[in-house]
Amino acid sequence: MNVLLIGSGGREHALAYKIFESSKLTKLYCAPGNPGIEEFAELVELSTSDFNNIVVFAKEKGIDLVVVGPEQPLVDGLADHLRANGVNVFGPNKEAAMIEGDKSFSKELMKKYSIPTADFEVFTKNEKDNALNYLDKISYPTVIKASGLAAGKGVAICNSQKEAILIVDEYFENGIFGKSGHTIVIEEFLEGEEASIFIVTDGDNYVILPSSQDHKRALDGDKGKNTGGMGAYSPAPIISEKLLAQIEEKIIVPTLNALKIENRKYNGCLYCGLMITKEGPKVIEFNCRFGDPETQCVLPLLDGDFLQLLHSTAIGMIDQTAVKYNGGSSVCVVAASKGYPDNYEKGFEITGLDLKHENVIIYHAGTKKLNNRIVTNGGRVLGVTSVLKENNIKLAKQTTYDALSKINFEGITYRTDISDKAL
Ligand code: AMP
Ligand code: GLY
């Protein structure tokens, strides 16, 4: 198979790594990719927003499967466009991707089909007065979310009414997330432990990948701002077999059915972000693609043929035996640029990338090649990830941090407590 992978982050590096292992692969292309992905794929300069060009490229190169990494092109309809032109694609159509692209839609869907989630109300920009009245009635903390895409940064936890009013102004008046923040969801604050579950599905049947946990906050102890994700581990011990059965019954099956009934049949990876509360698992958010950085931990724990899983899913006949959890464990720590998730500088040389570490994969996220050196080129720069054959998160953590201590660039910043919640 010839495969075209779309995207350029750590998640796409992990996807490329895994696809490259398949005996079914003839050639892998990646647009636009990054220097880490270049080890496995020919990088092509295709704009991920130029759908016509992607179709032309796919036809020209005889692409058997397009795998879309990030949410934006899915929400914008890239998968629809490819399917309409007879190109196989792993990733949901626009109507199904709305489950991530429009939080007000996904919350209403969950309400309609009794899928457990935080209580909420939706307000648009011209309903600001109603929003403010609502803030007067509820208890705190409360959570305010931009309804549209905001790179994982559109969620504010407000400890007081005063804070909440400021946030409403930020979204509605100052427009910090543009149109994405012109509709907001105000929802109940849930307490518990978070977990991420990836479902690969052709809309009818599905495969559940190993559980994981992200670390969204910038600083140790879950302090600081929300980020795209500062690290992850897999599997998440909180997800017992019993709990997983409950998640399937109460969340996965009803959600896939709801999407089918609503004519939004899902094809691709459905990311379920969950809070395990005292009342049971509840949905914090759905995403229409693999999570970043969880994917960097989850995929190396799969035996079997991952490309076969993606391809069989894309053609609507998911092979539920294509992959299997191998019993191992993994911890990924993101090395970020100083200042992330706010402003940061780029272009610093990264050293230590050529050192070979046993049981460690160094995923590239925000890097670029400059005169044969690798330099920083983003907020999240690397995902240093241990992969162990045994389920031993403590050793996995130690392995990751040992490797990380030998990597450097000016302003390197990372959390030191990734996976502690599992220990
Ligand atoms: P999201 O982008 O929706 O995943 O939200 C980002 C992060 O904010 C989540 O990973 C949680 O840590 C937190 N969060 C979101 N919604 C809630 C909620 N209703 N209650 C408590 N924490 C939340
Ligand atoms: N790790 C969170 C996300 O991918 O949205």
Coordinates of all heavy atoms in Angstrom, one line a residue, residues 214-227 229-232 332-336 340-341 397 401 404 412-421:
D214 N -3.5 11.9 29.8 CA -2.8 13.1 29.4 C -2.5 14.0 30.6 O -3.1 13.8 31.7 CB -3.7 13.9 28.4 CG -3.1 15.0 27.7 OD1 -1.8 15.2 27.9 OD2 -3.8 15.8 27.0
H215 N -1.7 15.0 30.5 CA -1.4 16.0 31.5 C -1.5 17.3 30.8 O -0.6 17.8 30.2 CB 0.0 15.8 32.1 CG 0.2 14.5 32.8 ND1 0.1 13.3 32.2 CD2 0.4 14.2 34.1 CE1 0.3 12.3 33.1 NE2 0.5 12.9 34.3
K216 N -2.7 18.0 31.0 CA -3.0 19.2 30.2 C -2.3 20.4 30.7 O -2.0 21.4 29.9 CB -4.5 19.4 30.2 CG -5.3 18.3 29.6 CD -5.3 18.2 28.1 CE -6.2 19.3 27.5 NZ -6.3 19.1 26.1
R217 N -2.1 20.5 32.0 CA -1.6 21.7 32.6 C -0.1 21.9 32.4 O 0.7 20.9 32.3 CB -1.9 21.8 34.1 CG -3.3 21.7 34.4 CD -4.1 23.0 33.9 NE -5.4 23.0 34.5 CZ -5.7 23.9 35.5 NH1 -4.7 24.6 36.0 NH2 -6.9 23.9 36.0
A218 N 0.4 23.1 32.3 CA 1.8 23.4 32.0 C 2.8 23.0 33.1 O 3.9 22.6 32.8 CB 1.9 24.9 31.7
L219 N 2.3 23.0 34.3 CA 3.3 22.9 35.4 C 3.0 21.7 36.3 O 1.9 21.1 36.3 CB 3.3 24.2 36.3 CG 3.5 25.5 35.6 CD1 3.3 26.7 36.5 CD2 4.8 25.5 34.9
D220 N 4.0 21.3 37.0 CA 3.9 20.1 38.0 C 2.7 20.3 38.9 O 2.4 21.4 39.2 CB 5.2 20.0 38.8 CG 6.3 19.3 38.1 OD1 6.1 19.1 36.9 OD2 7.4 19.1 38.7
G221 N 2.1 19.2 39.3 CA 1.0 19.2 40.2 C -0.2 19.8 39.6 O -1.1 20.3 40.2
D222 N -0.3 19.7 38.2 CA -1.5 20.2 37.5 C -1.7 21.7 37.8 O -2.9 22.1 37.9 CB -2.7 19.4 37.8 CG -2.6 18.0 37.1 OD1 -1.9 17.9 36.1 OD2 -3.3 17.0 37.6
K223 N -0.6 22.4 37.8 CA -0.8 23.9 38.0 C -0.5 24.5 36.7 O 0.1 23.9 35.8 CB 0.2 24.4 39.1 CG 0.1 23.7 40.4 CD -0.2 24.7 41.5 CE -0.8 24.1 42.7 NZ -0.2 22.9 43.2
G224 N -0.8 25.8 36.6 CA -0.5 26.6 35.4 C -1.6 26.4 34.3 O -2.7 25.9 34.6
K225 N -1.3 26.9 33.1 CA -2.3 27.0 32.1 C -2.6 25.7 31.4 O -1.7 24.8 31.4 CB -1.8 28.0 31.0 CG -1.9 29.4 31.5 CD -1.8 30.4 30.3 CE -2.0 31.8 30.7 NZ -1.7 32.7 29.7
N226 N -3.7 25.6 30.8 CA -3.9 24.4 29.9 C -3.1 24.5 28.7 O -2.9 25.6 28.1 CB -5.4 24.4 29.5 CG -6.2 23.4 30.3 OD1 -5.7 22.4 30.8 ND2 -7.4 23.8 30.6
T227 N -2.6 23.4 28.3 CA -1.7 23.3 27.1 C -2.3 22.3 26.1 O -3.3 21.7 26.4 CB -0.3 22.8 27.4 OG1 -0.4 21.4 27.8 CG2 0.3 23.6 28.6
G229 N -1.0 19.5 25.9 CA -0.7 18.3 26.5 C 0.8 18.2 26.8 O 1.6 18.4 25.9
M230 N 1.2 18.0 28.1 CA 2.6 18.0 28.5 C 3.2 16.7 28.7 O 4.4 16.5 29.0 CB 2.8 18.9 29.8 CG 2.5 20.3 29.6 SD 3.5 21.2 28.4 CE 5.1 21.2 29.2
G231 N 2.4 15.6 28.6 CA 2.9 14.3 28.7 C 1.8 13.3 28.9 O 0.6 13.7 29.1
A232 N 2.1 12.0 28.9 CA 1.1 11.0 29.0 C 1.7 9.7 29.4 O 2.9 9.5 29.3 CB 0.3 10.9 27.6
C332 N 5.4 9.2 28.2 CA 5.9 10.2 27.2 C 5.9 11.6 27.9 O 4.9 12.0 28.5 CB 4.9 10.4 26.0 SG 5.2 11.8 25.0
V333 N 7.1 12.2 27.9 CA 7.2 13.6 28.5 C 7.5 14.5 27.4 O 8.4 14.3 26.6 CB 8.3 13.6 29.6 CG1 8.5 15.0 30.1 CG2 8.0 12.6 30.7
V334 N 6.8 15.6 27.3 CA 7.0 16.6 26.3 C 8.0 17.6 26.7 O 7.9 18.2 27.8 CB 5.6 17.4 26.0 CG1 5.9 18.6 25.1 CG2 4.6 16.4 25.3
A335 N 9.0 17.8 25.9 CA 10.0 18.9 26.1 C 9.5 20.1 25.3 O 9.4 20.0 24.1 CB 11.4 18.4 25.6
A336 N 9.2 21.2 26.1 CA 8.6 22.3 25.5 C 9.6 23.5 25.5 O 10.6 23.5 26.2 CB 7.3 22.7 26.2
Y340 N 6.0 28.4 26.6 CA 4.8 27.7 26.1 C 3.8 27.5 27.3 O 4.3 27.2 28.3 CB 5.2 26.4 25.5 CG 4.1 25.5 25.0 CD1 3.4 25.8 23.9 CD2 3.6 24.5 25.9 CE1 2.3 25.0 23.5 CE2 2.6 23.7 25.5 CZ 1.9 23.9 24.3 OH 0.8 23.2 24.0
P341 N 2.5 27.6 27.2 CA 1.7 27.8 26.0 C 1.5 29.3 25.5 O 0.8 29.5 24.6 CB 0.3 27.3 26.4 CG 0.3 27.6 27.8 CD 1.7 27.5 28.4
K397 N 8.7 5.5 33.7 CA 8.9 7.0 34.1 C 10.4 7.2 34.2 O 11.0 8.2 33.6 CB 8.2 7.3 35.4 CG 8.5 8.8 35.8 CD 7.9 9.2 37.1 CE 8.4 10.6 37.5 NZ 8.1 11.0 38.8
Y401 N 12.8 9.9 31.9 CA 13.5 11.0 32.5 C 15.0 10.8 32.3 O 15.7 11.8 32.2 CB 13.1 11.3 33.9 CG 11.7 12.0 33.9 CD1 10.6 11.4 34.3 CD2 11.7 13.4 33.6 CE1 9.3 12.1 34.3 CE2 10.5 14.1 33.6 CZ 9.3 13.4 34.0 OH 8.1 14.1 33.9
L404 N 15.7 11.9 28.9 CA 15.4 13.4 28.7 C 16.6 14.2 29.3 O 16.9 15.3 28.8 CB 14.1 13.7 29.4 CG 13.5 15.1 29.2 CD1 13.4 15.4 27.8 CD2 12.1 15.1 29.8
I412 N 14.8 24.7 27.5 CA 14.0 23.4 27.5 C 13.2 23.4 28.8 O 13.7 23.7 29.9 CB 14.9 22.2 27.4 CG1 14.1 20.9 27.3 CG2 15.9 22.1 28.6 CD1 14.9 19.6 27.0
T413 N 11.9 23.0 28.7 CA 11.0 23.0 29.9 C 10.2 21.8 29.8 O 9.7 21.4 28.8 CB 10.0 24.2 29.7 OG1 10.8 25.4 29.5 CG2 9.2 24.4 31.0
Y414 N 10.1 21.1 31.0 CA 9.2 20.0 31.0 C 8.7 19.7 32.4 O 9.3 20.2 33.4 CB 9.8 18.7 30.4 CG 11.2 18.4 31.0 CD1 11.3 17.6 32.2 CD2 12.4 18.8 30.3 CE1 12.6 17.3 32.7 CE2 13.6 18.4 30.8 CZ 13.7 17.7 32.0 OH 15.0 17.4 32.5
R415 N 7.6 19.0 32.5 CA 7.1 18.6 33.8 C 7.9 17.4 34.4 O 8.4 16.6 33.6 CB 5.6 18.2 33.7 CG 4.7 19.5 33.7 CD 3.2 19.1 33.6 NE 2.8 18.3 34.8 CZ 1.5 18.2 35.1 NH1 0.5 18.8 34.4 NH2 1.2 17.4 36.1
T416 N 8.0 17.4 35.7 CA 8.8 16.3 36.3 C 8.0 15.2 36.9 O 8.5 14.3 37.5 CB 9.8 16.8 37.3 OG1 9.0 17.4 38.4 CG2 10.7 17.9 36.8
D417 N 6.6 15.4 36.8 CA 5.7 14.5 37.5 C 4.8 13.7 36.6 O 3.8 13.2 37.0 CB 4.9 15.3 38.5 CG 4.0 16.3 37.8 OD1 4.2 16.5 36.6 OD2 3.1 16.8 38.5
I418 N 5.2 13.5 35.3 CA 4.3 12.8 34.4 C 4.3 11.3 34.8 O 5.3 10.7 35.1 CB 4.9 12.9 32.9 CG1 5.0 14.3 32.5 CG2 4.0 12.1 32.0 CD1 3.7 15.1 32.4
S419 N 3.1 10.9 35.0 CA 2.7 9.5 35.4 C 2.6 9.3 36.9 O 2.3 8.2 37.3 CB 3.6 8.4 34.7 OG 4.9 8.3 35.5
D420 N 2.9 10.3 37.7 CA 2.9 10.0 39.1 C 1.5 9.6 39.6 O 1.4 8.9 40.6 CB 3.3 11.3 39.9 CG 4.8 11.5 39.9 OD1 5.5 10.6 39.3 OD2 5.3 12.5 40.4
K421 N 0.5 10.0 38.9 CA -0.9 9.7 39.3 C -1.1 8.2 39.2 O -2.1 7.6 39.8 CB -1.9 10.4 38.5 CG -2.1 11.8 38.9 CD -3.2 12.5 38.1 CE -2.9 13.9 38.0 NZ -3.6 14.5 36.9

